[in-house]
Amino acid sequence: MPRSLPPLTALRAFEVAARLSSFTRAAKELHVTPAAVSHQIRGLETYLGVTLFKRTTRHLELTDQGRLAAEQLREGFELLAHGVDQLRARQTRASLVVSVTNAFATRWLVPRLGAFAARHPSVDVRLRAGGGATDFDLDEIDIAVRIGSGAFGGAVAVPLFDESVVPVASPALLRERGLRRVADLAKVPLLHDDSLRRVGRSAGWPMWIRAAKVRNLDITSGMHFDDGHLVLQAAAAGYGVALGRLTYAVDDLAARHLRIPFGPLVETDLKYYLLLPEARAGEPSIDAFRAWIVDEGARFRTRLRDAARGAGAAVRAGANGMR
């Protein structure tokens, strides 16, 4: 059976008066009159059948029973206040489910998420690995980042930055094999990134060889990877020369885990986009993430330009040349 409890207002009045040893100060904290506090406590004493205070003309003193009750009630109200704070915190926090590929998360997004968390501590980001077409309702996601040429049905597509590809290899491999010009690629294994096939592009070595106008070079052998992150890991480990996405290679180039031995850098017709459902574009958490990632993207474009200088002249590969 549920316990019969006295009114919460009476318990609160007693706890405050006991803590402050004054009906007057308790009344001030509770925003009532001292007479109201006194009335609440007398009613509580009647309800419980105990005396809680020894009342004198000079001061207010707790009885033994009152002292024990005050200690327990103080702990109880602290727990109650903590519970209310937890409810309030959950009410004010928001979660944001972001769909990205593993490679984009590893190479670009995760290293920057701390900045978003610092700017928006009330938004909990939940990353969900995914690629291809987005169905926000079916996949239970709020926003997504995808690479493509801009045709994303049913979504607002916010462009972030372009993608280019360029040969990269570990500095140790370049020294050991003496790679200084394109013809030297015949000396080393080639590493193939097949991940752009998922968006209808084969931006691999055949495309690059055509753009570089190189002849008589065997580009059929070597390891193949279906992940732009893994192919760069293999290149950094010295397994060969990769045709890597510049977006993913920037940090390794800056840390000198990878180097660009020669150009050209080939600019694709692909961009990274933030995708969000049209009907939810103005929601606070989505709007906050959109503003943040657009700012990050603008800064990152500067880094891409700086990294591209190491590849010499850039070549633009049209969509027809990449299929």
Side-chain angles (χ1 to χ4, degrees):
M1 292 179 62
R3 296 181 181 180
S4 177
L5 295 175
L8 186 62
T9 52
L11 292 173
R12 183 59 172 160
F14 167 66
E15 187 277 326
V16 176
R19 172 161 43 84
L20 300 177
S21 300
S22 169
F23 287 173
T24 301
R25 289 196 293 269
K28 186 176 294 185
E29 179 172 317
L30 295 170
H31 304 288
V32 297
T33 65
V37 173
S38 178
H39 177 75
Q40 290 283 358
I41 292 173
R42 286 192 184 279
L44 182 61
E45 289 176 323
T46 300
Y47 183 94
L48 298 174
V50 298
T51 301
L52 299 172
F53 287 104
K54 298 175 184 177
R55 295 168 175 82
T56 69
T57 57
R58 307 184 72 176
H59 63 278
L60 197 62
E61 183 180 343
L62 285 165
T63 64
D64 290 342
Q65 287 177 307
R67 188 174 297 106
L68 178 61
E71 291 174 358
Q72 293 177 335
L73 282 173
R74 186 172 301 119
E75 293 178 2
F77 277 110
E78 286 176 355
L79 287 173
L80 186 60
H82 179 70
V84 171
D85 287 343
Q86 291 291 97
L87 288 173
R88 185 179 294 117
R90 290 183 181 181
Q91 182 68 23
T92 57
R93 295 194 70 81
S95 63
L96 190 69
V97 182
V98 183
S99 172
V100 290
T101 64
N102 282 320
F104 187 84
T106 302
R107 286 277 167 172
W108 196 90
L109 184 57
V110 170
R112 293 169 171 81
L113 270 182
F116 177 79
R119 188 185 299 184
H120 301 283
S122 63
V123 180
D124 295 325
V125 174
R126 301 180 182 182
L127 292 187
R128 183 170 297 173
T134 55
D135 187 319
F136 297 102
D137 294 329
L138 182 63
D139 299 332
E140 296 182 337
I141 59 176
D142 297 312
I143 54 179
V145 177
R146 294 289 188 269
I147 187 171
S149 57
F152 300 98
V156 176
V158 182
L160 299 174
F161 35 82
D162 299 335
E163 185 59 283
S164 303
V165 292
V166 68
V168 292
S170 71
L173 181 72
L174 296 180
R175 288 194 301 270
E176 292 168 6
R177 299 299 183 93
L179 269 66
R180 296 183 178 83
R181 54 196 180 94
V182 176
D184 293 334
L185 287 173
K187 304 176 183 179
V188 294
L190 299 183
L191 305 176
H192 303 263
D193 178 4
D194 299 331
S195 61
L196 290 180
R197 290 180 179 176
R198 289 193 291 270
V199 290
R201 298 291 186 270
S202 57
W205 283 110
M207 178 273 299
W208 186 87
I209 290 298
R210 289 194 299 272
K213 299 179 181 179
V214 178
R215 299 178 182 275
N216 302 320
L217 183 64
D218 180 15
I219 54 174
T220 59
S221 62
M223 298 181 185
H224 285 252
F225 300 84
D226 197 29
D227 185 288
H229 163 61
L230 295 179
V231 71
L232 293 177
Q233 280 193 313
Y239 295 163
V241 178
L243 188 66
R245 299 195 203 183
L246 187 61
T247 294
Y248 293 168
V250 162
D251 287 340
D252 275 348
L253 291 170
R256 300 186 180 180
H257 298 148
L258 291 172
R259 278 186 52 203
I260 300 173
F262 35 69
L265 177 141
V266 177
E267 299 173 341
T268 75
D269 66 335
L270 301 173
K271 295 179 184 288
Y272 292 87
Y273 292 86
L274 175 69
L275 306 182
L276 49 139
E278 295 178 1
R280 301 178 57 197
E283 290 186 11
S285 58
I286 291 178
D287 198 49
F289 194 89
R290 174 179 181 167
W292 170 78
I293 201 170
V294 166
D295 287 347
E296 287 289 333
R299 282 191 288 271
F300 187 66
R301 287 195 293 272
T302 300
R303 292 195 63 195
L304 285 175
R305 287 193 293 269
D306 292 342
R309 293 193 185 102
V315 175
R316 179 71 180 176
N320 293 333
M322 294 174 56
R323 292 188 185 279

